[in-house]
């Protein structure tokens, strides 16, 4: 490495230069301070309400229609997919039943309901919820936009590791290399993409299997009629989604309740009528005998057995819709016993009617209740589809908040339960996918192979992430973690080895769906990270802005300018680009940073952090609005009003807390006699930044710095300074000068508000750099450009009126 050579300087010159550098550093530290103290004032203001026993029972009942529909409809097709070529020995039925019993017991009941579901992010489930937990306990997020002040949120729960502990070593290893963080994100996205595949395959196989009962009673009916009926039902199902989960849940819950009673009662009837000896399948010995007798065919049949536990991942993703305790009660005391009775009853029938393996479910139904059962089965199949549809909505919403999916419209369908949502765009994509799969295959066996492949992939991803959760979040002993990992992987890898042999028989479908989804997510996330890095590296130092003087070297026009940025410190590039081309800005400038944190929600009382930038004469503020992924796209028509009200409250509290302070003293900290020179340097810096396309990782060390002079923040005036408090009483004893000063500034801001509020947003176009390799050009110039064109704008999400929007265009090359 070349040695750095510097010209010798005299002692006097060196002293002057050191003083100048030191003064600049001190000024920059004063201007960019973290909001730790402000955030800490807001902590512990939020408490979630508990649930009454009556509400818990109601939600347990309602969860049947949303969470357990998919798992409950598995008896429609499990035995047919386990024995697609027929049953040669009655003992094979007993062995398969034994596998089903222990699969249900070990995976849905023990692993998911009582272990995995506890790894929820304050009620939010799914692979991305686990990723959010990991992001709070280790620095594994690829977009480093978190600050120390975010950790003071009431909902930002995390564990501190003792130095030298196994958890601390695991955390250090995970944070050690950027490639490990990327690998973790790829694993998470792979599980998410397979879950999206579930949302397409579940309705197809459930509805097609249910409507197959028509053909059993009318053998001459064409299979195309069954497919057509299935498609009509699917269109009706997806058309109902906009009514919301709350209304749909109350409509579907009674259907599923009756369904479980029917299959449980039919199971008891068949056991008593045909063969009570099938209950010996509760002995695991028959699993060993089954594999010994059937060999390779028995191993391949695990792909059919796997379908008995499909819907388990949807169960985990759907816990956002209901309390965990309600879900546990419903499964343990109602769903699980009814499923066991249903499978035992079918097995008892098949032992005596081995030739009915293709239609075991409908053939085993007593003649007197056949048509009522058919109607309920069709309704239950529709409900079963609802579980994965709702789960898909949840994971898409989480993916958007993590910057891993294009911004889509998300509608909150319930004022009472915030987790109940509807995604119109995703809904119609799922519907078209379901129709395509149903019309193409026309065979539940091939759809079952595809379904099993998707399910086992998601389970493997969940197991890998659970290992990290147990180490970093729960801080379990490594031996317990090892036992959990070994038992889970042995079962799931066994299923995986069986379904992978059926890739050419329909198993390729979820791989294609996951591949397309992963491409979309990867490209979007890559461009999002690069845009953030560009903003960080091209931001303008706040000291330059203050060096311009109160007028900023510009024409200050009446009104309030809200400058949106992803940065929580410094001046964004779009601002310098704007004033370079149009040397005028509003009388009041507010830099607004909207942040999505890896938490499920940010309470309203802790959402806004406000600070003043520079002396009061500058009329500049910074506001950070923080959201969790549960808050994403929540209807917030009055965002502008809330933001400005928080600034007004901030000014009142600032005056009361520091009645004798005058921020104008800071104006002498940096010479304002070089206004034009400073502005020229700012413009020069802006032009140079247009060529920056990369960022040094060391620059991330200062990410947690917020621009500020005044050490005061506000959430709402009534929360921090309640009426009747000592602080409020002190405010009435202030001298007239302070009161007049406060009223003058508030009146000035109100006048500016009446003059007009303009929302200034960046419209960045991302393009591949000349000379980039072909795949990168395709990904950026075509895939990302298309996604950016069809996704929702930030202005739409924040409900910014179109007539007050001002876009600042810029091109960024990666």
């Amino acid at each position: 490495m070349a040695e750095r050579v510097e010209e010798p300087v005299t002692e006097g010159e060196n002293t002057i230069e050191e003083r100048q550098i030191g003064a600049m550093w001190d000024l920059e530290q004063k201007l960019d301070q973290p909001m730790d103290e402000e955030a800490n004032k807001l902590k512990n203001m939020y408490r979630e309400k508990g649930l009454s026993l009556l509400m818990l029972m109601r939600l347990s009942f309602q969860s049947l229609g949303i969470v357990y529909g998919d798992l409950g409809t598995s008896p429609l097709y499990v035995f047919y997919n386990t024995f697609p070529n027929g049953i040669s020995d009655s003992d094979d039925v007993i062995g398969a039943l034994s596998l089903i019993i222990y699969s249900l017991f070990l995976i849905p009941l023990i692993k998911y309901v009582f272990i995995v579901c506890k790894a929820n992010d304050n009620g939010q489930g799914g692979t991305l919820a686990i990723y959010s937990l990991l992001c709070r306990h280790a620095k594994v997020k690829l977009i480093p936009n978190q600050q120390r002040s975010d950790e003071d949120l009431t909902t930002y729960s995390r564990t501190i590791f003792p130095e030298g502990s196994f958890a601390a070593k695991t955390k250090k290893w995970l944070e050690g290399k950027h490639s490990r963080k990327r690998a973790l994100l790829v694993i998470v996205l792979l599980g998410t993409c397979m879950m999206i595949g579930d949302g397409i395959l579940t309705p197809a196989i459930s509805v097609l299997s249910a409507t197959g009962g028509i053909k059993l009673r009318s053998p001459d009916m064409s299979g195309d009629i069954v497919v057509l009926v299935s498609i009509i039902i699917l269109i009706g199902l997806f058309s109902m989604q906009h009514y919301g989960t709350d209304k749909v849940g109350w409509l579907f819950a009674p259907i599923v309740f009756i369904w479980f009673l029917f299959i449980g009662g039919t199971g008891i009837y068949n056991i008593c009528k045909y063969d009570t000896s099938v209950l010996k399948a509760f002995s695991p010995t028959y699993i060993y005998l089954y594999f010994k007798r059937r060999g390779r065919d028995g191993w391949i049949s695990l792909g059919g057995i796997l379908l008995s536990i499909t819907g388990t991942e949807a169960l985990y993703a759907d816990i956002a819709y209901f309390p965990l305790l309600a879900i546990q009660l419903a499964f343990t005391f109602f769903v699980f016993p009814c499923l066991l009775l249903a499978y035992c009853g079918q097995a008892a029938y098949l032992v005596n009617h081995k030739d009915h393996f293709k239609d075991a479910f409908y053939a085993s139904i007593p003649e007197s209740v056949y048509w009522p059962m058919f109607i309920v089965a069709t309704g239950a199949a529709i409900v079963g589809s609802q579980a994965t549809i709702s789960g898909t909505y949840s994971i898409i919403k989480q993916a958007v908040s993590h910057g891993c999916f294009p911004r889509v419209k998300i509608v909150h369908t319930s004022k009472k339960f915030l987790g109940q949502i509807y995604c119109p765009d995703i809904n119609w994509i799922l519907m078209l996918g379901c129709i395509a799969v149903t019309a193409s295959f026309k065979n539940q066996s091939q759809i079952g192979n595809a379904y099993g492949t998707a399910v086992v992939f998601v389970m493997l991803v969940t197991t890998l992430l659970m290992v990290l959760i147990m180490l970093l979040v729960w801080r379990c002993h490594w031996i317990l973690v090892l036992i959990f990992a070994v038992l889970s992987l042995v079962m799931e890898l066994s299923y995986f080895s069986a379904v992978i042999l059926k890739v050419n028989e329909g198993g390729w479908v979820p791989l294609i769906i996951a591949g397309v989804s992963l491409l979309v997510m990867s490209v979007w996330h890559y461009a999002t990270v690069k845009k953030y890095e560009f903003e960080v590296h091209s931001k303008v130092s706040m000291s330059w802005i203050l060096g311009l003087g109160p007028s900023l070297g510009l024409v200050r026009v009446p009104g309030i300018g809200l400058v949106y940025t992803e940065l929580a410190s410094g001046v964004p590039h779009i601002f310098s680009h704007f004033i370079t081309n149009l040397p005028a800005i509003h009388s009041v400038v507010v830099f607004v940073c909207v942040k999505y944190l890896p938490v499920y929600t940010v309470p309203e009382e802790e959402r806004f952090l406000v600070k003043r930038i520079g002396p009061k004469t500058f009329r500049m503020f910074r506001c950070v609005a923080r959201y969790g992924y549960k808050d994403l796209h929540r209807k917030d028509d009055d965002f502008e009003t809330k933001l400005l009200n928080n600034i007004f409250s901030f000014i009142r509290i600032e005056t009361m807390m520091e009645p004798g302070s005058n921020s104008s003293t800071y104006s002498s900290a940096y010479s304002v006699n070089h206004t034009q020179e400073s502005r020229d340097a700012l413009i020069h810096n802006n032009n140079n930044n247009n060529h920056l396309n990369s960022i040094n990782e060391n620059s991330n060390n200062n990410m947690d710095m917020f621009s500020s002079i005044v050490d005061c923040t506000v959430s709402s005036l009534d929360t921090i300074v309640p009426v009747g408090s000592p602080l409020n009483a002190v405010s009435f004893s202030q001298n007239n000068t302070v009161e007049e000063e406060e009223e003058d500034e508030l009146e000035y801001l109100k006048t500016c508000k009446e003059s007009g509020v303009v929302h200034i947003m960046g419209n960045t176009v991302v393009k591949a750099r000349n000379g980039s390799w072909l795949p990168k050009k395709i990904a950026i110039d075509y895939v990302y450009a298309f996604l950016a064109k069809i996704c929702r704008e930030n202005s739409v999400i924040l409900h910014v009126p179109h007539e007050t929007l001002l876009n600042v265009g810029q091109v960024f090359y990666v």
Side-chain angles (χ1 to χ4, degrees), residues 95-134:
L97 176 61
S98 186
L99 280 168
I100 292 171
I101 290 172
Y102 283 98
S103 294
L104 282 170
F105 176 74
L106 294 174
I107 296 181
L109 182 63
I110 301 299
K111 179 185 175 183
Y112 274 87
V113 173
F114 287 103
I115 298 179
V116 174
C117 283
K118 290 185 177 180
N120 63 80
D121 190 10
N122 288 278
Q124 304 295 304
T127 52
L128 282 167
I130 295 180
Y131 183 66
S132 295
L133 281 173
L134 294 176

Side-chain angles (χ1 to χ4, degrees), residues 11 44 132 200 255 305 418 525 560 606 632 677 736 813:
E11 182 178 353
N44 298 325
S132 295
I200 294 176
I255 297 175
I305 302 294
L418 189 57
H525 186 264
I560 298 177
E606 303 178 45
L632 186 67
E677 295 178 15
N736 293 333
Y813 292 91

Side-chain angles (χ1 to χ4, degrees), residues 788-800:
K789 186 176 181 180
I790 64 174
C791 76
R792 303 189 88 206
E793 297 289 342
N794 280 321
S795 57
V796 177
I797 296 173
L798 296 173
H799 299 276
V800 175

Side-chain angles (χ1 to χ4, degrees), residues 514-679:
V516 174
S517 302
L518 187 60
L519 174 65
V520 170
M521 290 185 173
S522 300
V523 170
W524 187 266
H525 186 264
Y526 173 78
T528 302
V529 171
K530 289 300 180 182
K531 283 173 63 178
Y532 182 81
E533 291 177 349
F534 170 71
E535 280 213 43
V536 171
H537 201 267
S538 61
K539 70 179 180 179
V540 182
S541 172
M542 189 61 66
S543 59
W544 286 107
I545 293 294
L546 297 186
L548 299 175
S551 67
L552 302 180
L554 308 167
V555 177
R556 302 297 289 265
V557 297
I560 298 177
L562 304 180
V563 183
Y564 289 83
T565 173
E566 294 184 13
L567 304 178
S569 65
V571 178
H573 179 261
I574 62 166
F575 183 74
S576 60
H577 184 61
F578 175 75
I579 63 175
T580 300
N581 293 277
L582 182 63
I585 195 63
H586 298 85
S587 301
V588 177
V589 178
V590 182
F591 294 104
V592 182
C593 175
V594 179
K595 292 177 58 178
Y596 296 108
L597 304 179
V599 296
Y600 76 107
T601 187
V602 177
E604 285 284 350
E605 298 84 357
E606 303 178 45
R607 176 150 298 155
F608 292 95
L609 295 177
V610 179
K611 277 197 172 185
R612 185 188 297 276
I613 297 176
K616 291 185 177 181
T617 54
F618 279 62
R619 310 293 187 190
M620 296 175 65
F621 302 88
R622 183 179 303 282
C623 179
V624 179
R626 303 177 294 182
Y627 292 86
Y629 53 81
K630 191 176 179 182
D631 307 318
L632 186 67
H633 294 213
R634 187 180 180 184
K635 190 170 183 180
D636 201 359
D637 294 328
D638 55 348
F639 175 81
E640 176 187 307
T641 304
K642 289 180 181 178
L643 188 150
L644 295 178
N645 286 341
N646 275 274
I647 294 176
F648 294 153
S649 299
F650 164 81
I651 293 172
R652 297 189 188 98
I653 296 177
E654 176 192 35
T655 306
M656 288 187 294
M657 296 182 68
E658 299 183 12
S661 68
N662 192 341
S663 296
S664 61
T665 56
Y666 286 101
S667 62
S668 61
Y670 194 80
S671 176
V672 297
N673 296 325
H674 305 288
T675 299
Q676 187 59 42
E677 295 178 15
S678 299
R679 186 172 180 271

Side-chain angles (χ1 to χ4, degrees), residues 252-471:
F252 285 171
I255 297 175
V256 179
F257 180 74
I258 296 171
W259 164 255
F260 278 117
L261 290 179
F262 265 32
I263 62 174
T266 303
I268 295 173
Y269 172 82
N270 288 332
I271 292 171
C272 297
K273 181 178 180 180
Y274 295 109
D275 192 351
T276 57
S277 65
V278 295
L279 298 178
K280 63 186 179 183
F282 281 90
S283 171
T285 306
Y286 290 92
I287 297 177
Y288 167 76
L289 297 175
Y290 177 77
F291 287 126
K292 182 179 179 181
R293 184 169 51 255
R294 297 200 68 194
R296 186 175 184 274
D297 290 339
W299 194 262
I300 293 176
S301 70
L302 284 175
I305 302 294
L306 173 64
L307 297 181
S308 66
I309 56 175
T310 54
T312 305
E313 278 297 331
L315 179 155
Y316 180 44
D318 285 333
I319 61 174
Y321 292 83
F322 303 99
L324 177 59
L325 183 57
I327 292 174
Q328 290 175 331
L329 289 173
F331 186 82
T332 306
F333 296 105
F334 186 69
V335 175
F336 183 63
C338 289
L339 286 175
L340 291 182
L341 290 172
Y343 286 116
C344 289
Q346 284 190 51
Y349 178 84
L350 286 175
V351 166
N352 295 278
H353 304 84
K354 291 189 287 291
D355 55 329
H356 289 174
F357 65 95
K358 284 188 177 181
D359 44 36
F361 176 79
Y362 281 114
S364 64
I365 298 174
E367 184 75 24
S368 58
V369 295
Y370 182 85
W371 288 112
M373 192 70 160
F374 170 77
I375 295 173
V376 175
T378 304
I382 295 173
V383 177
S385 306
Q386 182 65 45
T388 47
I389 293 172
S390 302
T392 304
Y393 294 159
S394 295
I395 62 174
I396 289 295
K397 181 182 70 171
Q398 294 176 24
V400 172
S401 68
H402 281 284
C404 298
F405 199 84
R407 297 178 296 273
V408 295
K409 184 177 182 179
I410 296 176
V411 180
H412 290 265
T413 58
S414 174
K415 295 181 180 180
K416 189 177 296 184
F417 304 106
L418 189 57
Q420 298 183 1
I421 60 172
Y422 163 64
C423 304
D425 303 326
I426 302 302
N427 183 68
W428 304 126
I429 292 174
L430 292 179
M431 187 188 75
L432 293 176
C434 287
I435 293 173
V437 169
T438 305
S440 300
F441 286 108
K442 304 179 183 179
N443 186 316
Q444 59 174 287
S445 178
Q446 287 188 322
I447 300 177
N449 294 337
Y451 191 20
T453 304
V455 169
V456 75
F457 262 103
V458 180
M459 287 184 175
L460 285 170
V461 169
T462 302
T463 298
L464 295 176
L465 295 177
M466 278 300 300
V467 170
L468 294 176
I469 288 294
M470 296 176 77
L471 288 172

